[in-house]
Amino acid sequence: MLRPIRLLALVAATGSVTLAGCSGKHPAASASQPVTVNVSVGECGSGWSNPRPGQQQFTLHNTDTRAGEVLLTDAKSGAVFADVEPIGPGTSTPLSINLGSGGYAFRCAMEDESTVTGPTVTVPGDVPRPVPPVLAVTQGDLIAATKSYQQYVTGQLPKLSALTATLATDIAGNQLAGARAAWLPAHLEYERLGAAYGAFGDLDGAINGLANGLPGGVDDPDWTGFHRLEYGLWHGASAAALAPTAARLRADVNALHRTFAAAQIDPLELSIRAHEITENALQFELTGETDYGSGSTLATVAANLDGTQSVLQIIRPLLLTRYSQLPTLTAALATSAHDLATLRTAAGWPALAQLSRPQRELVDSDFSQLSELLAPVASILEPRRPS
């Protein structure tokens, strides 16, 4: 069985396997014969002989009685070139990677055992390494970044509560035109908090859930939140019919405001969300799936971009020395924001259906590139067991 392999000095992504200095081919496609490297507490990294620069084809064979994680590291700094996990006892998995000259060592982290670093293997010559290794991130690094993001979200929640209160008040007062105007800023404020959704628990579904999958669809009595109000406000529902949903939304947002201080964002999710926000914008927003009548998709996508920027601003110090594509990512974020802004007119954001084909293709292209550039971030910032 093929195992997840993360080659960490990242330049591109294909499916669930991230590639860096890597051919992208299955090891069998190479003319070179695979080198079997043993993985265990007692013989970590043994079997690698006749090292040479260029494309390497390894077969990692777990001779231990426990599953484990295997990392190919720089022998001097401990920085990581590749991370393969999990490898079950008695199983093997391929690793294809392009190596330059220098010292390398396999590191084996078997379950319930201390991490073991194998012998240093020196690849001869003066061939530059195609890409540098990635210095491992610690739990402490991520915890500090997560606390900063949690503080950011905490600071945004009072504004969300106030905007939602205005929306609910307009509906309770039968001011539906005002409610339609108030709906968008309240919803966008929530959409900017994308990296925190995992800490919101069931409140996320109550506040921003879709009708998809509900037995009654848009008529399902259990459907609540922003999109339920959107559907009603743009499909002729009366204020009396919408008032209970508006009151429930206001109460749910206030509950989120009260309880978030005691919630905890998983440090592992912070870097993952940076990619997922953009990926979800492609999958749900830019396909029109989340538009229940307001035509506000592009405004939501712009808010999602703000949310991504907020996360990256906090984790940027961790990426500066680890992600060679960070300048490209920064430029792509600026380009995406600019291209979105050019679509906004004096009358506001156009609906997706009002865009020309070149305009749609430009936005889709921008966000596809962003998704690709953000995909490696989670692997780079995954904490690893120390040597």
Side-chain angles (χ1 to χ4, degrees):
M1 178 187 296
L2 292 178
R3 310 293 179 180
I5 301 173
R6 290 181 292 279
L7 303 180
L8 299 175
L10 305 142
V11 295
T14 303
S16 62
V17 180
T18 308
L19 308 177
C22 172
S23 68
K25 300 176 182 178
H26 190 279
S30 173
S32 64
Q33 292 298 314
V35 175
T36 298
V37 175
N38 292 322
V39 176
S40 70
V41 172
E43 51 181 352
C44 179
S46 66
W48 185 7
S49 59
N50 299 319
R52 57 177 179 76
Q55 195 69 30
Q56 309 291 312
Q57 313 295 343
F58 296 108
T59 297
L60 305 181
H61 179 58
N62 186 356
T63 60
D64 207 288
T65 58
R66 293 146 294 210
E69 175 182 6
V70 181
L71 303 96
L72 179 60
T73 69
D74 176 75
K76 184 176 181 180
S77 68
V80 181
F81 289 96
D83 181 357
V84 185
E85 68 169 332
I87 302 179
T91 66
S92 299
T93 193
L95 168 61
S96 177
I97 185 169
N98 195 358
L99 301 179
S101 302
Y104 297 85
F106 280 97
R107 191 159 78 226
C108 303
M110 314 311 291
E111 289 180 355
D112 302 320
E113 292 287 345
S114 298
T115 300
V116 175
T117 299
T120 295
V121 174
T122 301
V123 175
D126 56 0
V127 179
R129 287 173 170 174
V131 285
V134 173
L135 190 64
V137 173
T138 68
Q139 284 279 7
D141 292 332
L142 284 184
I143 289 172
T146 303
K147 286 182 177 178
S148 294
Y149 186 73
Q150 189 140 1
Q151 290 171 356
Y152 162 76
V153 174
T154 299
Q156 300 301 111
L157 289 176
K159 184 178 180 181
L160 175 63
S161 292
L163 290 170
T164 306
T166 299
L167 171 61
T169 298
D170 284 342
I171 291 175
N174 198 25
Q175 302 296 316
L176 294 185
R180 282 188 286 271
W183 179 88
L184 183 58
H187 183 237
L188 296 184
E189 191 64 27
Y190 187 80
E191 289 284 346
R192 292 187 181 98
L193 307 179
Y197 292 166
F200 293 170
D202 292 341
L203 284 172
D204 177 46
I207 291 171
N208 207 39
L210 306 179
N212 302 2
L214 295 176
V218 295
D219 297 317
D220 196 288
D222 291 331
W223 188 29
T224 62
F226 279 116
H227 289 296
R228 175 65 185 90
L229 289 179
E230 177 189 10
Y231 182 79
L233 286 169
W234 275 271
H235 286 84
S238 67
L242 293 176
T245 301
R248 164 75 184 275
L249 175 61
R250 183 178 186 176
D252 286 338
V253 168
N254 287 340
L256 179 62
H257 188 184
R258 289 193 312 273
T259 61
F260 183 70
Q264 291 195 4
I265 299 175
D266 185 345
L268 297 178
E269 289 190 357
L270 189 60
S271 56
I272 294 173
R273 297 292 185 188
H275 173 242
E276 285 185 346
I277 294 170
T278 304
E279 192 174 53
N280 288 343
L282 274 169
Q283 183 178 355
F284 299 110
E285 304 298 339
L286 291 174
T287 59
E289 186 173 342
T290 59
D291 184 0
Y292 286 94
S294 67
S296 61
T297 293
L298 293 178
T300 301
V301 169
N304 295 156
L305 199 59
D306 290 342
T308 300
Q309 291 270 28
S310 298
V311 176
L312 285 177
Q313 183 176 353
I314 289 171
I315 63 176
R316 183 179 180 85
L318 298 177
L319 294 174
L320 279 172
T321 57
R322 292 178 170 90
Y323 188 24
S324 62
Q325 293 267 78
L326 185 59
T328 304
L329 171 57
T330 302
L333 282 165
T335 297
S336 298
H338 172 269
D339 290 345
L340 273 177
T342 62
L343 300 177
R344 191 174 185 177
T345 68
W349 291 98
L352 278 181
Q354 295 174 314
L355 298 182
S356 65
R357 180 171 179 175
Q359 288 173 324
R360 284 290 299 271
E361 290 176 345
L362 178 61
V363 174
D364 286 345
S365 175
D366 283 346
F367 274 76
S368 293
Q369 182 189 23
L370 271 181
S371 182
E372 181 176 310
L373 288 167
L374 286 163
V377 170
S379 291
I380 292 172
L381 297 187
E382 180 180 345
R384 290 174 170 84
R385 288 170 62 178
S387 57

